[in-house]
Amino acid sequence: MTQQRQLILEQLQKRSDHPGADEVYDKVREFLPKISLGTVYRNLELLSEAGYIQKLFFKGQKRFDPRTDQHHHFCCTNCGKVEDIPFPIDTPDIDSGSDWLKQREIQEVHLHYLGLCPDCKQSQ
Amino acid sequence: MTQQRQLILEQLQKRSDHPGADEVYDKVREFLPKISLGTVYRNLELLSEAGYIQKLFFKGQKRFDPRTDQHHHFCCTNCGKVEDIPFPIDTPDIDSGSDWLKQREIQEVHLHYLGLCPDCKQSQ
DNA sequence: TTAAGTGCAAATAGTTTGCGGGAAG
DNA sequence: CTTCCCGCAAACTATTTGCACTTAA
């Protein structure tokens, strides 16, 4: 656990806005100005493989989430903001007898709600 | 409706593997060798805005789906293949009285199932 | 005829990687 | 020590765009 990795994790854990690698880079550079973007990418990848954080994809960009418990996301179709949905939602079960399911192995289920966030809803 | 746009739509409608723009490009070039990748991107974007097709994102890449009815997707975490889930799944309703929901406007709900496809499940 | 679309090539955005030097254990 | 990690810069992948020319309506 290097100083860089620790700082990246620490800074990510302070926020709930699911930043992309570039935004994490901007933030950690305030503390460690010589850190490189490559290091940020490498560590975000490692941290998510190790289960400390979660990697998400929205609108073609990787984003990172310090929460690793089961929860879902909302993404604003207007401004692109990504938010946690602040309450649990049960994901629908697929009929466990179906052939389709038997042929596959389901590892994760993600619910994506798309729409307008409070700010964008107001200004429309 | 140009010859290029028609061909792109036609070829996409022939498949259910949710190709990326590059794969659509490879296919339409068999019929129109001088078509450019830019044209393919522009038309896939236009067709999805016009509601003829649907634009998806998986693993940071745009993919296109000729089906526009409500359905969900499965993505293989090993090989990246994207499939339609062949039966309807009810998306969970959020408590319509919740403040969280009242402040937002939900437009779409997507369910992403992630796991191993039949081929990858077998070879593991 | 003219507005919309095309091919081409260059530009951009996001991400990954090879390498030589440096820090952690 | 010695392995893992870093900073840097170059490479790569996916996508977008400006421009001069062409085509559909």
Side-chain angles (χ1 to χ4, degrees), chain A residues 15 21-31 37 40:
Chain A
R15 46 207 287 186
D22 52 336
E23 293 168 285
V24 175
Y25 175 59
D26 287 344
K27 175 50 77 175
V28 298
R29 230 174 355 160
E30 294 174 14
F31 303 89
L37 185 54
V40 172

Side-chain angles (χ1 to χ4, degrees), chain A residues 2 4-5 35 39:
Chain A
T2 59
Q4 288 85 341
R5 190 170 306 163
I35 200 173
T39 296

Side-chain angles (χ1 to χ4, degrees), chain B residues 2-118:
Chain B
T2 60
Q3 137 184 223
Q4 287 86 339
R5 190 170 305 163
Q6 183 120 37
L7 180 62
I8 288 167
L9 177 57
E10 206 173 284
Q11 289 304 315
L12 182 62
Q13 284 173 338
K14 283 193 184 152
R15 47 206 285 186
S16 58
D17 62 343
H18 311 80
D22 52 336
E23 293 168 285
V24 175
Y25 175 58
D26 287 344
K27 176 50 77 176
V28 299
R29 229 172 359 159
E30 293 175 14
F31 303 90
L32 222 50
K34 306 217 58 163
I35 200 173
S36 80
L37 184 56
T39 297
V40 172
Y41 270 103
R42 275 185 289 236
N43 279 307
L44 287 169
E45 203 58 44
L46 284 169
L47 287 166
S48 73
E49 274 163 28
Y52 289 101
I53 64 175
Q54 200 185 348
K55 178 169 52 167
L56 310 172
F57 288 101
F58 279 93
K59 308 238 272 172
Q61 200 198 0
K62 284 186 181 172
R63 292 173 161 268
F64 297 89
D65 186 344
R67 283 181 59 186
T68 55
D69 62 317
Q70 168 75 359
H71 69 285
H72 300 286
H73 295 96
F74 169 87
C75 180
C76 180
T77 50
N78 186 243
C79 71
K81 189 193 297 175
V82 178
E83 303 176 324
D84 290 322
I85 294 182
F87 39 78
I89 301 176
D90 288 329
T91 52
D93 277 329
I94 294 181
D95 168 23
S96 59
S98 74
D99 283 346
W100 187 87
L101 185 60
K102 279 185 194 144
Q103 290 167 353
R104 292 167 180 74
E105 183 179 320
I106 306 295
Q107 296 163 337
E108 296 174 43
V109 185
H110 295 283
L111 266 163
H112 287 17
Y113 286 80
L114 307 183
L116 297 177
C117 69

Side-chain angles (χ1 to χ4, degrees), chain A residues 5-108:
Chain A
R5 190 170 306 163
Q6 183 120 36
L7 180 62
I8 289 166
L9 177 58
E10 206 173 283
Q11 290 304 314
L12 182 63
Q13 283 172 339
K14 284 194 184 152
R15 46 207 287 186
S16 59
D17 63 343
H18 311 80
D22 52 336
E23 293 168 285
V24 175
Y25 175 59
D26 287 344
K27 175 50 77 175
V28 298
R29 230 174 355 160
E30 294 174 14
F31 303 89
L32 222 49
K34 306 217 59 165
I35 200 173
S36 80
L37 185 54
T39 296
V40 172
Y41 270 103
R42 273 186 287 236
N43 279 307
L44 288 170
E45 203 59 44
L46 283 170
L47 288 166
S48 73
E49 273 162 31
Y52 289 102
I53 64 175
Q54 200 186 348
K55 177 169 55 168
L56 309 172
F57 289 101
F58 279 94
K59 309 240 269 170
Q61 199 198 359
K62 283 186 179 170
R63 292 172 160 270
F64 298 89
D65 186 345
R67 283 181 59 186
T68 54
D69 61 317
Q70 167 75 0
H71 67 287
H72 300 288
H73 295 96
F74 170 88
C75 179
C76 180
T77 51
N78 185 244
C79 71
K81 189 193 297 175
V82 179
E83 303 176 324
D84 289 323
I85 295 182
F87 39 79
I89 301 176
D90 287 329
T91 52
D93 276 329
I94 294 181
D95 168 23
S96 58
S98 73
D99 283 346
W100 187 88
L101 185 60
K102 279 185 196 144
Q103 290 167 352
R104 292 167 180 75
E105 183 179 320
I106 306 295
Q107 296 163 337
E108 296 175 42

